[in-house]
């Protein structure tokens, strides 16, 4: 019985000491030094970006929390490309004990939504393996990106992803998953089939990215005036997203109200003759900021008329 009492007393004192140590660590947490070091390390990993962290602190249980994280495309940029409301990182102690590598769970809150997942250092701390889910991110908040694309985009982004990245200069990034953009609009620089913008219920696709090419597979779009499928690639342009090259193919099914808006019965008949399995083939090429759409099989002049809505 005495041993049992001593054991309980010992555990009690140990818990008390840990609480006191935790409070001392909380009070004396070197937030400014950590913030400065994190900004420097993030810049080393992504030299094309500048990171500004509003504050760093501890959050129970056993988590580090960053707030007001601003990402700039250059040191002299006035407005940030992206603002993270908060980033919470909670170490996975069990994974560390098993593999002796750092692992943890993260939560990033931004643009009215959140990204949550798990990451782990592998290959002697040279590679980060990661996975996560995206929930309800409002893409209209990406104002700087939309300015670079010369078009407006709105909607709620959700999905999942996984991949890995080599930390040394971000020399290799691999990522794959599936995303859905729901209840939004896509602005068009020039009318297509008379539409000045596309109002859609959802746009979805599985994707794979390997640092050089973004591949889209099994893409689908459901809009008020048409439905369709697509696939293809996007070749990112270094530092200038609007110059990224598009190579997409697909098929769309115009709804009767969209076809009737063309007005000319002969044109409608000619368009319907190009249907394959009930859908109109198309190709999109060019850059993200200036894409061009061609409806396969139609004469160039008619393609031009359809894009202008005439």
């Amino acid at each position: 019985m005495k041993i049992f009492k001593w054991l309980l007393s010992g555990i009690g004192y140990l818990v008390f000491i840990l609480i006191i140590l935790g409070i001392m660590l909380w009070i004396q947490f070197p937030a400014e030094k950590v913030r400065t070091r994190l900004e420097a390390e993030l810049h080393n990993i992504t030299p094309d970006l500048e990171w500004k962290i509003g504050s760093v602190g501890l959050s129970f249980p056993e988590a580090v929390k960053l707030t007001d994280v601003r990402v700039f495309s250059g040191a002299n940029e006035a407005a940030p490309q992206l603002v993270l409301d908060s980033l919470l990182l909670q170490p996975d102690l069990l994974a560390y004990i098993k593999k002796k590598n750092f692992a943890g769970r993260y939560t990033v809150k931004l643009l009215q939504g959140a990204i949550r997942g798990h990451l782990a250092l592998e290959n002697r701390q040279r590679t980060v393996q990661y996975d996560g889910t995206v929930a309800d991110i409002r893409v209209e908040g990406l104002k700087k990106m939309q300015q670079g694309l010369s078009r407006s985009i709105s909607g709620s982004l959700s999905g999942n992803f996984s991949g890995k990245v080599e930390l040394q200069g971000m020399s290799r990034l691999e990522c794959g998953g599936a995303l859905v953009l729901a209840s939004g609009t896509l602005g068009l620089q020039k009318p297509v089939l008379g539409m000045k913008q596309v109002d859609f219920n959802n746009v979805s696709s599985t994707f794979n990215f390997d640092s050089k090419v973004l591949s889209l597979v099994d893409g689908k779009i459901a809009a008020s005036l048409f439905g369709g499928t697509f696939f293809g690639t996007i070749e990112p342009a270094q530092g200038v997203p609007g110059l990224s090259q598009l190579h997409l193919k697909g098929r769309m099914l115009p709804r009767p109200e969209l076809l009737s808006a063309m007005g000319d019965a002969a044109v409608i008949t000619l368009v319907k003759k190009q249907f394959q399995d009930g859908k109109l083939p198309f190709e999109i090429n060019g850059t993200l900021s200036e894409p061009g759409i061609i409806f396969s099989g139609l004469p160039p002049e008619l393609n031009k008329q359809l894009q202008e809505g005439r």
Side-chain angles (χ1 to χ4, degrees):
M1 183 63 71
K2 286 184 178 180
I3 295 177
F4 183 67
K5 288 182 178 179
W6 290 342
L7 184 59
L8 286 179
S9 298
I11 293 175
Y13 278 117
L14 178 60
V15 171
F16 176 74
I17 291 170
L18 289 175
I19 291 174
I20 295 299
L21 288 175
I23 293 174
M24 291 177 65
L25 177 61
W26 190 277
I27 294 174
Q28 299 179 16
F29 181 70
E32 186 61 26
K33 290 183 179 180
V34 173
R35 183 183 66 82
T36 302
R37 179 65 182 271
L38 281 174
E39 289 178 347
E41 290 296 334
L42 288 168
H43 177 68
N44 289 336
I45 295 173
T46 56
D48 294 333
L49 301 175
E50 291 289 333
W51 298 74
K52 299 296 181 183
I53 301 172
S55 64
V56 180
L58 296 178
S59 177
F60 287 121
E62 302 169 343
V64 176
K65 185 176 183 180
L66 314 182
T67 57
D68 189 26
V69 181
R70 298 174 180 266
V71 186
F72 298 83
S73 62
N76 299 320
E77 188 179 37
Q81 294 282 339
L82 183 64
V83 177
L84 312 181
D85 298 327
S86 66
L87 190 160
L88 189 70
L89 180 62
Q90 183 175 6
D92 187 339
L93 298 180
L94 184 59
Y96 179 80
I97 292 172
K98 288 181 177 180
K99 296 185 177 181
K100 303 302 181 183
N101 285 332
F102 174 82
R105 297 195 174 278
Y106 65 89
T107 300
V108 181
K109 293 186 177 180
L110 73 164
L111 302 175
Q112 303 179 43
I115 303 174
R116 295 181 173 86
H118 183 269
L119 54 83
L121 285 173
E122 304 284 350
N123 190 25
R124 297 182 179 180
Q125 319 300 316
R126 298 174 184 171
T127 304
V128 176
Q129 299 273 1
Y130 61 88
D131 59 61
T133 59
V134 181
D136 304 321
I137 290 179
R138 300 300 309 183
V139 298
E140 57 266 29
L142 298 170
K143 295 180 181 179
K144 291 284 292 184
M145 182 198 73
Q146 297 194 33
Q147 289 174 6
L149 298 179
S150 302
R151 68 185 67 250
S152 61
I153 307 172
S154 68
S156 178
L157 184 67
S158 299
N160 61 80
F161 60 89
S162 64
K164 64 181 180 179
V165 58
E166 293 181 7
L167 291 178
Q168 188 61 39
M170 300 287 281
S171 57
R172 184 170 181 80
L173 171 64
E174 296 179 7
C175 187
L179 295 172
V180 178
L181 185 61
S183 303
T185 62
L186 171 64
L188 302 175
Q189 292 178 334
K190 297 179 180 180
V192 175
L193 298 179
M195 297 181 293
K196 295 182 179 180
Q197 70 176 30
V198 176
D199 299 313
F200 57 84
N201 299 323
N202 61 73
V203 180
S204 64
S205 178
T206 58
F207 71 92
N208 183 66
F209 181 67
D210 65 358
S211 294
K212 295 181 180 180
V213 177
L214 173 64
S215 299
L216 303 177
V217 181
D218 195 29
K220 297 181 178 65
I221 180 170
S224 56
L225 293 177
F226 67 93
T229 59
F230 62 90
F231 67 93
T233 61
I234 302 175
E235 300 174 16
Q238 188 68 28
V240 188
L243 296 181
S244 301
Q245 293 291 320
L246 283 170
H247 306 283
L248 301 178
K249 292 183 178 181
R251 296 180 179 182
M252 66 178 296
L253 175 60
R255 305 202 188 284
E257 52 268 38
L258 181 58
L259 288 173
S260 62
M262 298 179 188
D264 192 321
V267 171
I268 295 173
T269 300
L270 184 57
V271 169
K272 286 184 175 181
K273 285 184 178 180
Q274 301 305 320
F275 280 13
Q276 296 178 9
D277 297 327
K279 296 180 179 179
L280 178 64
F282 66 86
E283 295 184 18
I284 300 177
N285 295 291
T287 64
L288 277 176
S289 58
E290 295 185 1
I293 183 168
I294 296 294
F295 296 101
S296 306
L298 297 179
E301 185 60 31
L302 180 55
N303 258 296
K304 182 178 179 181
Q305 292 179 15
L306 293 175
Q307 292 186 42
E308 295 174 350
R310 294 187 285 112

